[in-house]
Amino acid sequence: MSNKDISKDVLNVVKKKTGKSVTSKDIEKLASGVKPSTLQSEAQLRQLIKQVSGLVNVKVSEETINDIVQAVKSSKLDSNNMQQLMNMMMGKK
């Protein structure tokens, strides 16, 4: 899967799940600040979740944020493999 396909897939998933359109530039700007360490730091992960929530203008409860943080921390994701993370978020195996 090429990066162009991933970007298109991500935008389609965001639109489908939120009803909001997000540009590839919005995603790229947000993604540019994400590093493997972001997924290992609970504070940084919480900040990322809030940034994504703000980007698509969808309120995320503290309980949902806690669930996401716990899922990422307990997963066997290789934090250096963003493709694996994107597939998990998009519901792909």
Side-chain angles (χ1 to χ4, degrees), residues 11-20 58 88-91:
L11 295 175
N12 289 335
V13 167
V14 168
K15 186 170 185 168
K16 181 179 175 184
K17 296 214 179 218
T18 67
K20 314 282 187 220
V58 173
M88 181 186 90
M89 292 171 62
M90 293 179 358

Side-chain angles (χ1 to χ4, degrees), residues 7-8 11 15-16 19-20 30-32 34 39-40 44 47 58 65-66 74-75 77 83-84 89:
S7 295
K8 192 167 132 186
L11 295 175
K15 186 170 185 168
K16 181 179 175 184
K20 314 282 187 220
L30 184 62
S32 70
V34 177
L39 302 180
Q40 296 168 349
Q44 289 179 12
Q47 182 62 33
V58 173
I65 291 173
N66 290 339
S74 67
S75 72
L77 288 176
Q83 175 72 41
Q84 185 182 15
M89 292 171 62

Side-chain angles (χ1 to χ4, degrees), residues 3-56:
N3 283 340
K4 194 171 198 170
D5 291 338
I6 292 170
S7 295
K8 192 167 132 186
D9 286 348
V10 169
L11 295 175
N12 289 335
V13 167
V14 168
K15 186 170 185 168
K16 181 179 175 184
K17 296 214 179 218
T18 67
K20 314 282 187 220
S21 291
V22 178
T23 68
S24 60
K25 289 187 188 228
D26 292 334
I27 299 282
E28 288 171 13
K29 182 178 177 184
L30 184 62
S32 70
V34 177
K35 298 175 179 36
S37 62
T38 303
L39 302 180
Q40 296 168 349
S41 165
E42 185 170 332
Q44 289 179 12
L45 185 55
R46 286 178 178 279
Q47 182 62 33
L48 176 61
I49 294 165
K50 290 176 183 175
Q51 288 175 320
V52 172
S53 171
L55 180 66
V56 295

Side-chain angles (χ1 to χ4, degrees), residues 78-91:
D78 176 358
S79 62
N80 292 310
N81 187 344
M82 290 306 214
Q83 175 72 41
Q84 185 182 15
L85 177 62
M86 293 306 302
N87 287 341
M88 181 186 90
M89 292 171 62
M90 293 179 358

